[in-house]
Each structure stands twice: as structure tokens, then as C-alpha cells.
Amino acid sequence: MHKIKKFAAEHKREIIFAAIYLLMVVFRFSWFYTHETAIVYRDSQDYLAYDPIRALQGSAVNGRAPVYGTILYLIRIIVGEWHQLHAATFLQELVGIAVLPLFSATLRRVGVGTRVRAAVLLLYGFCPAVYGWDNVVLTESLSLSATVVFFFLIVRYIQERRFWDGAGALLVTVWLIFLRPQFLTYLAMLMVFFVWRMFYADKKEKKDLGILLAWGGQLLRWGSLSTARRFPISSGYSP
């Protein structure tokens, strides 16, 4: 008993957050299975009809960015059309839960105290405007999850200046762009951030930033051209 009390005293914070994660996992899965029917809107049909094979051959892509439609296409191949919607929303639920520790870690890295961090984590984890998208066949759920990963990588890069965190942020941004083209603004902001870092970087970091800027510049150009060609303003495209 004494050892248990000692362990609890030494790892009080870890136990609190483990309990919070467990509570959110139980709640989110309970909510998911009591609202098991996937919600399909008119825009969802465009993603469900997306055919990446035809898109690679240059055919029309329903005016939608390719990532989400391709995910739905692959899920349909794996589990069949009958289970496609349930599998897609279940995947979104899993990803949404998986990024919760990263959300908490980002708050901790920016100096948010334990109690406030626990409160904010609970607010985010139990917010209907967040988990409510998990049952919807649209890009919002995966966009929210990827955004959490993006900010975690950026904060960790600022603190630890690891090249692969910067590269990871670029890759996540590309994922977001081809999930929703509006995220091109994230890539632009990331490039501005890298340029700003150049003024304060040491020799090694400047070399890393030069590589990241070169990659980011090409991605920005590529993303802008691809978006302009596939989603012209006159097409009436809506995300």
C-alpha cells in the first residue's frame, strides 16, 4: 500500500492525464456507437463518387481535392461498399482520439499549467463541434486532426529545432492542401515562419531552413498551380 501511495504521489500528473484520456476514449466511442449511422450530405456524394484511377488518367474529379475521395475509394476496396461509410467514420474517430495526446503536449510545450491544460483538453475532447464531425462523411474531421499534428510539430520545431519536425510540418501541410485547398494559407504561413527563423538561426539551422524553404517553395508553386487548374474560381467549387 505504501508503494502504491508513493507511486501515485510521484506520478500524479501522469495518472490524471491517463484518466482523462481513458474518460475521453470511453465517451467518444460510446457516442460513436450510439450515433453509428454515418451522416452524408450533398457534398459527401462527390467524395464517394471520386475515382482516383480516372483522376490519374486526366478525367474529371468532381471538383474535389483528391485525398479524402481516395481514402474513401481505398476503404471501399478493402471492406466493400456496404461497410464503407461505417469504416470511414470509424477511421475518423480513431484519428481524432489519437491526436488528443499531441493536443495536450502542445499546450504543455507552450507553458500551459497542469490544471488549465487538463481543463482545455477536456473542453476540446468533449466539444460537440469537434467530435461531431467524426460521423460526417466530409473532410472536417481529418482536417481538425491534421491541424493538431501541424501545430504540435511547429511548436516542437521552435523549441528543439529538429529538421524532421519542420519537414513533418511541410508534409502535413501538403496533406491538408490536398484534403482542402484552402490550407494553402498554412503553407504560405509556414514559409513566412521559416524565413523569419533565418534571422535568428545558427549555421546548422540555416542550412536546414534553406532545404525546407526550397522544398516549401516548390510545394507552394505546385499546390497553387494544381489548385488553380483543378478548382478554377469560375467552377463554383466549394470545399
Side-chain angles (χ1 to χ4, degrees), residues 4-196:
I4 294 176
K5 289 182 178 180
K6 183 179 179 182
F7 178 84
E10 292 176 350
H11 300 277
K12 182 179 179 179
R13 184 172 62 183
E14 289 83 356
I15 292 172
I16 290 173
F17 281 96
I20 290 174
Y21 292 137
L22 179 61
L23 181 63
M24 288 190 294
V25 168
V26 171
F27 170 80
R28 296 276 286 262
F29 276 121
S30 298
W31 184 89
F32 178 79
Y33 280 107
T34 54
H35 299 74
E36 192 170 353
T37 303
I39 300 173
V40 179
Y41 292 111
R42 184 182 63 181
D43 289 350
S44 307
Q45 299 297 339
D46 289 337
Y47 292 112
L48 289 167
Y50 185 87
D51 187 340
I53 305 301
R54 291 184 60 199
L56 289 172
Q57 295 171 347
S59 300
V61 293
N62 300 328
R64 300 296 171 180
V67 167
Y68 194 64
T70 301
I71 291 173
L72 294 175
Y73 179 85
L74 293 174
I75 289 174
R76 184 166 67 248
I77 290 176
I78 295 171
V79 303
E81 189 173 354
W82 183 258
H83 300 288
Q84 179 188 19
L85 297 182
H86 176 74
T89 52
F90 183 71
L91 173 64
Q92 291 174 179
E93 184 70 31
L94 283 178
V95 175
I97 290 173
V99 302
L100 290 173
L102 296 183
F103 182 81
S104 177
T106 303
L107 294 174
R108 177 178 57 81
R109 284 179 173 273
V110 298
V112 178
T114 300
R115 292 182 181 180
V116 176
R117 179 158 54 100
V120 174
L121 180 61
L122 285 168
L123 286 172
Y124 180 83
F126 290 109
C127 179
V130 176
Y131 68 75
W133 286 111
D134 293 342
N135 273 37
V136 180
V137 184
L138 285 174
T139 61
E140 275 75 4
S141 177
L142 294 179
S143 295
L144 282 168
S145 298
T147 300
V148 171
V149 177
F150 172 82
F151 282 106
F152 169 77
L153 290 170
I154 287 300
V155 170
R156 194 166 68 174
Y157 177 83
I158 292 172
Q159 294 179 337
E160 301 182 12
R161 303 176 187 178
R162 296 197 302 186
F163 172 80
W164 290 110
D165 284 334
L170 274 176
L171 290 175
V172 172
T173 306
V174 173
W175 161 275
L176 283 167
I177 291 170
F178 285 96
L179 197 62
R180 295 171 66 90
Q182 296 92 327
F183 281 104
L184 268 169
T185 56
Y186 271 41
L187 182 54
M189 290 189 296
L190 190 59
M191 295 294 286
V192 172
F193 167 73
F194 288 151
V195 171
W196 172 78

Side-chain angles (χ1 to χ4, degrees), residues 170 190-191 194-195 198 208-218:
L170 274 176
L190 190 59
M191 295 294 286
F194 288 151
V195 171
M198 274 285 194
D208 291 343
L209 287 168
I211 297 172
L212 293 173
L213 282 167
W215 290 357
Q218 287 299 316

